[in-house]
Amino acid sequence: MQKSVLDWLDLAACRFGDKTVFQTKENSICFSRLLHQSKAIGSYLCGQIMPRSPVAVLTGRRVDTPACFLGIVQAGCFYAPMDASMPVPRLRQNLEVLQASHMIVDREHLETATALHFSGHIHVLEDILQTPVQEERLAAIRRAITEEDPLYVIFTSGSSGIPKGVITSHHALMCYIESVQKVLQLSDSDVLGNQSPLDYIAAIRDIYLPLLTGASTVILPKNEFSMPTQLFETLDTYGVTTLCWSVAGLEVPAKLHAFDSVKPHFLKKVIFSGSVMPGHVLRVWQQNLPETVFINQYGPTEATASCTYHVVTETVQDDTVLPIGIPYENYRVVLLNEDGTETPDGQTGEICISGPALALGYYHDPVRTAQSFIPNPLCPQYRSLLYKTGDLGSWNEQGELEFHGRRDRQIKHMGHRIELDEIEKTAGMVAGIEQCCALYQKEKEQLWLFYTGEATSRDIVLHFRQEMPAFMVPRKLMKLSAMPCLPNGKTDMRTLLSYMK
């Protein structure tokens, strides 16, 4: 019985040994070396930290970052990846939620780590990779691991201004990866092209599918995503067969006409998620890669990653709205009305998810966990949890789920979930802003901020760049003499929406 991702790692190292598992343009690592490095890191940590404790990771897009993750697991702990490009205040918020006593950084990000004023122990990755492996000690730790133990914490936006740390177990991750593999049918000859930062939820496919299948992953240069012709050449150089990208990542090559110069010759499967795929973008990819299979995914971090999928069989048109499909194996999706009853087919209800791939909840946050992970009202006979996504959907005549947007103030922008309330809280800290309201223009994918007061656009943008990730900086700012209000005193959203046309 396989109870942790370390079982996958052992088997992959045995079967594929010297085969490359992760590579960049500068470096590569094989399966057996990945196993050895993870054991070295685990041996270094195991005498310093209690099992089932969090370890923060600040190591960037490098081939030994997955070894760092797995080394933390070898020590019986769980990892919390951090994006060093985020503003220092945001990283500090994540660390405050995590309350970790240990952090692993590479030398490149040591200065950033120092600026965080981290109160725990900082370990430099390059310095600990040569630690002698303590096989007996690691084996004893391994015997105590259960499939319900935490594997990682990944942070998402929180409406209170405090990030939510979604904590996922070994079992949930393994259920998801196995379900995706049954759809993708990868083999050890496949090569994945990694787009997302390794701290982001989408990267779990690029990290763990190779451990299950023997495939390899190329960590693509970040700068090439703004130079799609060069990006396509890189895909061909490494023989990339499979992309698990955000919709935003697929839009840029289509908009910049990259296919007019280069076409990736090895691509067989493209799986996308994060936001609604525009029909005109997908059609460009379909026309240029007619033999490639395209798959639409939907799902939140709280369900490990994606919970539904739709294999695109038709050539789409500009106005095509793809369904988000049917549940992956080991997922159950139901639609609920506000009173907790099941929504009839054809009608719109809140998308709720159950099954073994649900997250363990929000780390150090039992209140928000209880609000989002609720007892299944359709199953009162025994304990069964549902995750309330806050998304609206309906079942079509083909038995597939269709997406109808959010029921609250959470949006999907550039592949990231953002709470508009958090944008407003951040804006409210800018000197000179009296009132503000954040809205999202979905058609143009633009984040708007309406405000009153003496603050300038420059003041606001500079503040956001210091406090928030780039994807949370409003791109449209509108200063108003007064915030429009309804008779009950609430902000008149309809009037503000009319300003966005």
Side-chain angles (χ1 to χ4, degrees):
M1 174 181 172
Q2 294 176 325
K3 62 179 182 177
S4 81
V5 296
L6 298 180
D7 295 326
W8 285 359
L9 175 59
D10 286 347
L11 184 59
C14 178
R15 293 178 61 197
F16 304 109
D18 294 335
K19 182 180 183 292
T20 295
V21 55
F22 301 114
Q23 61 184 320
T24 64
K25 285 193 170 182
E26 296 79 24
N27 297 296
S28 66
I29 187 172
C30 65
F31 282 93
S32 59
R33 184 65 181 166
L34 177 68
L35 175 60
H36 178 80
Q37 285 193 353
S38 74
K39 287 186 173 182
I41 295 168
S43 298
Y44 175 86
L45 289 174
C46 66
Q48 306 183 55
I49 187 169
M50 293 293 294
R52 290 172 291 284
S53 299
V55 178
V57 178
L58 200 67
T59 56
R61 294 170 64 79
R62 50 187 295 159
V63 297
D64 42 17
T65 289
C68 184
F69 295 163
L70 293 164
I72 291 166
V73 177
Q74 295 274 13
C77 298
F78 56 97
Y79 63 91
M82 306 283 181
D83 183 356
S85 67
M86 284 189 173
V88 166
R90 186 67 169 188
L91 292 172
R92 286 176 179 164
Q93 281 187 316
N94 291 352
L95 289 172
E96 187 175 340
V97 172
L98 193 65
Q99 297 181 27
S101 58
H102 294 264
M103 179 192 299
I104 298 178
V105 305
D106 55 15
R107 287 202 179 93
E108 179 185 353
H109 298 107
L110 185 55
E111 185 176 343
T112 300
T114 304
L116 296 175
H117 304 302
F118 181 63
S119 60
H121 303 282
I122 295 178
H123 312 282
V124 178
L125 176 61
E126 291 88 341
D127 294 341
I128 66 178
L129 284 173
Q130 305 306 317
T131 304
V133 173
Q134 301 182 47
E135 293 284 3
E136 291 186 7
R137 193 163 191 175
L138 294 183
I141 292 171
R142 183 83 165 268
R143 287 193 293 270
I145 293 177
T146 76
E147 61 185 10
E148 291 185 346
D149 281 347
L151 175 60
Y152 58 73
V153 170
I154 287 181
F155 287 93
T156 65
S157 174
S159 59
S160 65
I162 300 173
K164 294 184 290 190
V166 182
I167 184 163
T168 300
S169 69
H170 286 262
H171 184 63
L173 180 281
M174 295 170 80
C175 281
Y176 170 69
I177 294 296
E178 287 175 345
S179 298
V180 171
Q181 167 59 8
K182 287 188 177 180
V183 175
L184 286 180
Q185 291 292 298
L186 300 184
S187 72
D188 59 354
S189 64
D190 279 297
V191 180
L192 293 108
N194 165 256
Q195 172 212 15
S196 67
L198 298 183
D199 70 291
Y200 184 46
I201 188 61
I204 63 171
R205 292 183 287 266
D206 301 322
I207 294 170
Y208 290 105
L209 277 168
L211 300 191
L212 178 63
T213 66
S216 60
T217 290
V218 179
I219 301 172
L220 299 166
K222 184 178 179 180
N223 65 306
E224 291 188 3
F225 284 90
S226 59
M227 301 180 290
T229 299
Q230 186 172 337
L231 177 64
F232 281 4
E233 291 174 349
T234 300
L235 296 182
D236 264 8
T237 297
Y238 292 97
V240 172
T241 65
T242 307
L243 303 180
C244 301
W245 284 8
S246 69
V247 168
L250 297 175
E251 284 182 304
V252 175
K255 289 178 180 178
L256 297 184
H257 308 288
F259 287 103
D260 293 347
S261 302
V262 183
K263 292 183 182 179
H265 292 93
F266 302 98
L267 275 183
K268 300 175 184 176
K269 298 154 190 170
V270 176
I271 189 168
F272 52 87
S273 57
S275 55
V276 176
M277 169 63 81
H280 67 275
V281 170
L282 181 54
R283 193 176 73 250
V284 170
W285 282 81
Q286 286 182 314
Q287 289 174 340
N288 285 279
L289 301 173
E291 302 302 315
T292 302
V293 175
F294 295 91
I295 302 172
N296 186 26
Q297 281 195 137
Y298 159 83
T301 307
E302 287 86 347
T304 301
S306 300
C307 59
T308 68
Y309 71 99
H310 168 75
V311 179
V312 183
T313 56
E314 72 280 10
T315 300
V316 301
Q317 304 301 317
D318 283 359
D319 59 352
T320 298
V321 179
L322 296 174
I324 54 178
I326 61 175
Y328 276 115
E329 184 176 273
N330 256 330
Y331 285 89
R332 184 175 294 117
V333 176
V334 298
L335 304 182
L336 293 185
N337 300 316
E338 290 189 8
D339 62 1
T341 58
E342 188 166 10
T343 306
D345 288 353
Q347 296 185 22
T348 299
E350 182 176 2
I351 301 172
C352 298
I353 307 163
S354 65
L358 286 189
L360 297 173
Y362 301 121
Y363 195 61
H364 276 153
D365 199 340
V367 173
R368 285 195 288 190
T369 296
Q371 290 171 347
S372 296
F373 296 83
I374 65 166
N376 186 347
L378 306 180
C379 184
Q381 297 86 354
Y382 56 88
R383 183 178 181 270
S384 174
L385 290 181
L386 279 181
Y387 171 68
K388 293 165 58 69
T389 68
D391 292 330
L392 298 175
S394 64
W395 297 106
N396 62 23
E397 293 180 354
Q398 290 72 44
E400 291 192 299
L401 195 60
E402 296 184 344
F403 179 74
H404 299 304
R406 294 289 303 172
R407 61 171 296 176
D408 55 20
R409 301 255 300 149
Q410 187 185 88
I411 63 165
K412 265 287 182 68
H413 177 54
M414 298 176 66
H416 299 268
R417 285 191 298 159
I418 299 172
E419 299 276 3
L420 292 177
D421 289 345
E422 186 172 10
I423 302 298
E424 293 172 2
K425 287 179 182 295
T426 302
M429 295 186 290
V430 178
I433 285 188
E434 297 173 357
Q435 293 179 296
C436 65
C437 180
L439 293 175
Y440 188 59
Q441 192 172 22
K442 183 177 177 181
E443 298 77 15
K444 297 182 178 180
E445 296 186 339
Q446 291 178 337
L447 192 57
W448 284 68
L449 182 71
F450 299 92
Y451 71 98
T452 63
E454 299 303 316
T456 66
S457 297
R458 183 176 183 275
D459 295 334
I460 298 170
V461 170
L462 286 177
H463 177 78
F464 267 86
R465 286 178 177 171
Q466 292 170 355
E467 299 290 330
M468 289 285 141
F471 60 83
M472 294 180 73
V473 179
R475 291 293 183 263
K476 290 288 186 178
L477 302 171
M478 183 175 288
K479 182 177 179 179
L480 305 173
S481 57
M483 193 66 65
C485 292
L486 298 170
N488 61 5
K490 294 185 178 180
T491 301
D492 185 350
M493 300 287 189
R494 183 167 295 184
T495 296
L496 294 180
L497 288 170
S498 70
Y499 296 159
M500 295 163 59
K501 295 179 180 178

